[in-house]
Amino acid sequence: MHNLYDLDMERSILSSIIYSGDNLAEIFDTISAGDFYLKGHADVYLAMVECMNADLPIETTFLKTKLGSKFDEEIFANIIGTNSILDIKKYATELREKSIKRSLVQIAHQIPNKVSEDKPSRDMVDELSQSFYSLVEGSAAGVIKESKEIIVDVLAHLEKQKMLENQDIVGIDTGFKELNEKTKGFKNGDLIIIAARPGMGKTTICLNLMSNVLQRGNGVVFFSLEMPAEQIMLRMLSAKTSIPLQNIMTAKMDDEEWSRMSDACEDMSNKKFFVYDSGYVNIHQIRTQMRKLKSSHPEISLCVIDYIGLMMATSNYSDRHLQIAEISRGLKLLARELDMPIIALSQLNRSLEARANKRPMLSDLRESGAIEQDADMILFVYRDEVYLEQEEKEREKRAKAEGKEYVPKFIPNKIEEDAEIIIGKNRNGPVGTVDVIFQKEFTRFVDKSFGAIHMAEFTG
């Protein structure tokens, strides 16, 4: 156990902070008071942080005042008598390492007790996984914050927001101007549901959103339960290069298109894009994979699941409504834990197609009202032309069956069509409709102001 702490190292770090208060700012994000093995050292570090927050010099007089009855003459004398160090960051990292290892030993001691508990094994694994993740992430889940701490966090967030190029966006840029205006972006900790009937393009709009996030240098994890990873990449490359998907899939491209394709492939190969394309996944597996990936790649800022209806439940509920409720709650909690938005796709009930106006509403969400309750934002994808085309085909079929002349009333546009992103729920903003354009050949949605003539700008 002795190699799991080093009192000389702890004294050296504290001595260096007294020697120069700037040293505290350098290691403030690396260690906390709980990382010190000796309680007296932890108390001194806390007093130093209090001095820093109050804009007081980190000197003996002020530290004694802050420590009050916790001031220990001997501990303090030992700190003052220890030489300060040059590379304080390196020492702080080592101190944190020892702290994590001590915590690992404690968790290991808990395992025999957990095994004897009357709980399913996967729940125990999940709890232990949470403990391990919290160690490396320094998560303060469940800690009660005082008002002044919250205000410090709020001011830090506002300062960060002020420095942004686009101050109107609070979360992740969606890539759609009007959608950004209404939602202010996808915020950390939010669960966003994108729902539609089959064939409306909910997967496509997600691929567009993911491409936009990747282009900004952030990472994305995509749990694809319906489509293999290669097919996903082909669609993203088509949207990125403005080369029709059909041409890419059949490799029928001219030299200039091959060149564009090659550049796009090279660009995408350098992105932090992770795809899990097994047809089976449950909330435990998503949680485990996301914790692991987020720890290794902190730049990951979005998780997408396609789609929620294909996820497996971990409980013994036979009622699918209850299973979906468990899944949606689990995704919301995971978004909070990882401090990032999670987008989950969902199917809509077929019953909406019996209505004259087929635009989706919240009541059309399939299988569970819990999705509506847990989601911070619900977006519906709607393309009126899908239904107009269906009606036209039925009209043609009827005319042929009755031996009548068929005169088309609706001729679909093969290149692009009007589409809508309907904001059905927005916890922190307005609801409403965002008009966009769906470009069929390139499997992508673009802003209404773009259209075919702006394709080059979009891909650039």
Side-chain angles (χ1 to χ4, degrees):
M1 186 73 178
H2 182 68
N3 65 337
L4 298 185
Y5 66 92
D6 185 335
L7 298 184
D8 286 338
M9 181 190 288
E10 293 184 6
R11 282 190 283 264
S12 296
I13 289 170
L14 297 172
S15 171
S16 299
I17 296 169
I18 292 171
Y19 175 75
S20 171
D22 291 343
N23 281 327
L24 179 56
E26 199 177 330
I27 63 166
F28 185 67
D29 291 334
T30 308
I31 60 171
S32 65
D35 292 322
F36 288 88
Y37 180 77
L38 193 69
K39 175 75 169 64
H41 290 166
D43 291 339
V44 172
Y45 184 78
L46 273 174
M48 289 172 165
V49 172
E50 284 181 27
C51 285
M52 180 181 75
N53 289 339
D55 280 332
L56 295 171
I58 302 173
E59 292 172 358
T60 307
T61 309
F62 295 101
L63 288 172
K64 278 185 180 179
T65 306
K66 291 287 180 191
L67 282 161
S69 60
K70 290 181 181 175
F71 178 73
D72 185 310
E73 189 79 54
E74 188 183 346
I75 286 174
F76 211 81
N78 286 336
I79 291 168
I80 300 290
T82 304
N83 290 332
S84 60
I85 44 183
L86 289 174
D87 194 351
I88 192 166
K89 188 84 176 172
K90 189 176 174 183
Y91 275 71
T93 304
E94 182 59 29
L95 182 75
R96 176 77 185 133
E97 275 292 302
K98 289 183 182 295
S99 170
I100 289 171
K101 286 173 183 172
R102 289 198 303 273
S103 298
L104 284 171
V105 171
Q106 287 176 345
I107 293 168
H109 285 313
Q110 292 169 17
I111 292 175
N113 293 330
K114 284 210 173 289
V115 170
S116 63
E117 285 177 22
D118 186 21
K119 263 187 190 176
S121 58
R122 61 170 52 142
D123 287 348
M124 293 176 194
V125 170
D126 196 38
E127 281 177 26
L128 289 166
S129 173
Q130 164 72 51
S131 301
F132 291 133
Y133 178 78
S134 298
L135 283 181
V136 288
E137 286 300 299
S139 167
V143 172
I144 291 176
K145 287 184 175 179
E146 205 180 330
S147 178
K148 62 182 176 184
E149 287 179 81
I150 301 167
I151 289 294
V152 167
D153 290 343
V154 166
L155 291 173
H157 170 75
L158 293 176
E159 196 62 40
K160 194 174 168 187
Q161 190 66 24
K162 191 176 156 190
M163 303 299 288
L164 290 178
E165 198 176 315
N166 187 345
Q167 288 185 17
D168 287 339
I169 298 176
V170 177
I172 284 179
D173 188 335
T174 68
F176 297 94
K177 189 169 179 285
E178 202 184 331
L179 188 60
N180 279 342
E181 285 169 8
K182 282 188 163 67
T183 64
K184 306 302 179 194
F186 296 152
K187 299 161 202 72
N188 288 347
D190 275 6
L191 172 62
I192 297 121
I193 300 293
I194 297 181
R197 287 293 296 146
M200 284 287 165
K202 58 183 180 298
T203 301
T204 298
I205 209 158
C206 265
L207 297 180
N208 297 164
L209 291 166
M210 292 191 297
S211 292
N212 189 59
V213 172
L214 291 167
Q215 284 307 119
R216 283 169 163 71
N218 295 315
V220 176
V221 184
F222 186 42
F223 290 86
S224 176
L225 309 185
E226 244 185 345
M227 202 182 294
E230 293 77 14
Q231 207 173 325
I232 290 157
M233 189 58 79
L234 285 171
R235 284 177 168 224
M236 291 178 87
L237 289 167
S238 173
K240 188 176 173 62
T241 59
S242 292
I243 301 169
L245 179 62
Q246 210 54 39
N247 292 15
I248 293 176
M249 290 175 82
T250 54
K252 289 178 181 172
M253 294 179 278
D254 59 31
D255 289 349
E256 191 271 335
E257 286 174 332
W258 271 112
S259 175
R260 268 182 12 232
M261 184 67 174
S262 175
D263 290 345
C265 286
E266 189 178 346
D267 183 51
M268 283 300 289
S269 67
N270 293 320
K271 303 292 183 213
K272 293 293 180 188
F273 182 46
F274 305 88
V275 179
Y276 180 102
D277 67 353
S278 163
Y280 171 95
V281 73
N282 61 39
I283 189 66
H284 287 316
Q285 289 166 317
I286 287 177
R287 199 179 285 133
T288 302
Q289 292 290 341
M290 284 306 300
R291 284 171 181 161
K292 192 164 65 176
L293 284 166
K294 182 78 172 157
S295 298
S296 313
H297 306 279
E299 65 274 27
I300 289 172
S301 60
L302 181 66
C303 169
V304 180
I305 296 140
D306 182 11
Y307 64 97
I308 208 167
L310 292 177
M311 282 182 65
M312 307 299 291
T314 56
S315 63
N316 297 320
Y317 297 131
S318 55
D319 189 332
R320 186 61 181 164
H321 283 74
L322 295 173
Q323 292 177 1
I324 293 289
E326 178 202 52
I327 290 166
S328 71
R329 189 71 195 133
L331 291 174
K332 172 59 188 170
L333 292 172
L334 185 61
R336 287 283 307 273
E337 178 189 323
L338 298 174
D339 192 32
M340 63 192 278
I342 290 180
I343 297 175
L345 276 63
S346 178
Q347 293 275 34
L348 293 175
N349 290 317
R350 186 182 281 115
S351 58
L352 75 81
E353 294 180 358
R355 298 198 300 258
N357 183 349
K358 296 174 175 61
R359 279 173 181 79
M361 303 181 292
L362 290 174
S363 56
D364 296 321
L365 275 169
R366 185 184 277 184
E367 292 171 323
S368 180
I371 292 178
E372 184 185 336
Q373 183 184 311
D374 292 324
D376 297 280
M377 199 182 296
I378 297 175
L379 307 176
F380 299 111
V381 184
Y382 180 73
R383 286 160 49 208
D384 199 40
E385 288 195 19
V386 171
Y387 293 117
L388 292 174
E389 208 171 327
Q390 278 177 10
E391 285 168 19
E392 197 59 45
K393 281 176 183 172
E394 283 166 19
R395 199 178 290 120
E396 183 183 4
K397 198 175 167 184
R398 276 199 306 272
K400 283 181 180 174
E402 293 167 11
K404 293 178 182 175
E405 185 188 355
Y406 166 64
V407 180
K409 290 183 181 178
F410 169 75
I411 300 167
N413 183 331
K414 288 192 170 74
I415 298 170
E416 60 182 35
E417 66 185 59
D418 289 339
E420 298 169 25
I421 300 171
I422 301 164
I423 306 168
K425 178 183 178 181
N426 187 6
R427 208 187 288 278
N428 298 303
V431 295
T433 301
V434 174
D435 291 319
V436 291
I437 284 174
F438 177 60
Q439 296 179 336
K440 298 177 182 179
E441 284 187 304
F442 314 120
T443 60
R444 73 181 174 212
F445 289 85
V446 296
D447 271 322
K448 187 84 171 175
S449 56
F450 277 53
I453 56 167
H454 293 289
M455 283 185 215
E457 290 175 40
F458 179 79
T459 55

